[in-house]
Amino acid sequence: MGLLSQGSPLSWEETQRHADHVRRHGILQFLHIYHAVKDRHKDVLKWGDEVEYMLVSFDHEKKKAQLVLSGEELLETLQEKGERTNPNHPTLWRPEYGSYMIEGTPGQPYGGTMSEFNTVEDNMRKRRKEATSLLGENQALCTITSFPSSSICCRLGCPGFTLPEFKPNPVEGGASKSLFFPDEAINKHPRFSTLTRNIRHRRGEKVVINVPIFKDKNTPAPFIETFPEDEEATKASKPDHIYMDAMGFGMGNCCLQVTFQACSISEARYLYDQLATICPIVMALSAASPFYRGYVSDIDCRWGVISASVDDRTREERGLEPLKNNHYRISKSRYDSIDSYLSECGEKYNDIDLTKDKEIYEQLLQEGLDHLLAQHAHLFIRDPLTLFEEKIHLDDANESDHFENIQSTNWQTMRFKPPPPNSDIGWRVEFRPMEVQLTDFENSAYVVFVVLLTRVILSYKLDFLIPLSKVDENMKVAQKRDAVLQELFYFRKDICKGGNAVVDGCGKAAGRAEPAAEEYALMTIDTIINGKEGVFPGLIPVLNSYLESMEVDVDTRCSILNYLKLIKKRASGELMTVAKWMREFIAKHPDYKQDSVITDQMNYSLLLKCNQIANESCECPELLGPAFRKVRYSGSKTDSSA
Ligand code: GLU
Ligand code: MG
């Protein structure tokens, strides 16, 4: 999650004193980049995925699974043996928020040819194998989005969910002051604890995360947790909700991301907008996080949890008190869905109130940016959260740390990424909403689906745009329990309307009228993904017809069809999402008392099973389809009925 500077982090007061400096120079740094590369064309399509992992240790005697706090050492060894020894090493490793986390990407980006789709899964397997080979006995690299149990008894002060065990330290001086999440579980690089501390300082109180509890037969009604001797928690926690109070409960979750290099800035802006509408749909399809702090929740996705876990807005900014010390009311956390479309086609669908810094906006207009790009600088209403003493005075023409400082702490569904200064990297966009899946097969399937979709969007000049406020409504709905089958989502009815003029200046060329309510309708995810006669063609059928028109070797085609089949079946309900499967696993567990509580033993059996599935030592037809291993490994990968 962003740039790691070496050096000494400044205190919150000092960082805040430099906030305007960082913003001003961040914008200047962006302008240097913009003027240098705005007309760059013909970059080739490249892309790459990011998978985040948790390190889990199994105690088979005590039947306990814990998070191993060795991410930093593991990362050091992986980098030493990998990229530092061989620049062409097939994997790259990066730190993540949790001390029990690491992040892996392919060593080189993938290119534009179809056969690359057939290498994604192999590369993910390599990553899993490489990192696993360095783990201790009874330890595993798990791709789970949120760790189910943070040992409920933690709040009584008994250490629990980490190895080694640490007590949370809710006193002055700690980074998060959490009642449940020990600071030792935060990555040791100073960036992460500083972020944690400064978010809390800026906000003026601890972060507050309240996730609705799943009401089972024996769940107390109302469900109320008490926090004697902790006034802040008593005030902040809501009845019928699971209360959490630390950045780690959000940023300590894992996800699956994809970054694309577009051939030009206008193509990047177009892809940014189009994919923004897809975020809630694919998030619901990838739902994998039903459990928090040892309880069964009523949501399936991590999104709102992370959003709240880094919400640094003050009470004034959140609208709870009249503005006095702050400049703006701000309607969203720094981690949330995007607030404005960037392409000209998006303009008329920009129906969310944007809070922007007028001076920066005017400055960018004067520098020749168009209105839509200039207002993207609304990201710069945020303060820098960390600043390193050695990195205050920079060469704006050749460095971009101040720009990146603000940019990389706006964690939105999509990220628009200018090239780094003096590099041959092009304009990129990042797709960020997906939850990580248990297996490399599933993760490859979601990645390939999204990348293929970008090909189809570009080749067929598709148009998915709807008013951005409707995309926001979709984001809310997408997180609900079993949203993939139970909820309806706004989606554009005629996706081929853009015609040829979509990429450059479509709005005028296509002479569109104001957005009409008839342009979109509420649909099920099944309809959006698989289509429905007379209603909507469906994304998979569109991808299939694209595939038919492409020259693809037999093996790659089989792999792609298998991936699309997984997506198709998850959308129709024939296969379960990870979240649903986990819920059923817990519901059927002999220890489960239908009271929404996940005990250490249940946590252990669930993670053990997840690990077996990931290592393909057991089948899981509900999740992956029947005879999954047979289809994939007996050489009969010929089932092409996707
Ligand atoms: N782990 C975060 C998530 O689940 C993303 C962090 C990052 O931006 O890399 O969304
Ligand atoms: Mg990451």
Side-chain angles (χ1 to χ4, degrees), residues 1 52 96 103 253-255 257 302 306 335 411 432:
M1 50 171 282
E52 295 172 347
E96 251 308 332
E103 178 182 293
N253 291 334
C254 294
C255 71
Q257 295 163 333
R302 79 201 187 290
I306 309 193
Y335 186 112
W411 297 279
R432 305 172 44 83

Side-chain angles (χ1 to χ4, degrees), residues 169-177 183 193 197 200-201:
N169 199 7
V171 293
E172 217 42 68
S176 68
K177 289 180 65 185
D183 282 350
S193 48
R197 179 179 286 111
R200 183 167 55 74
H201 280 313

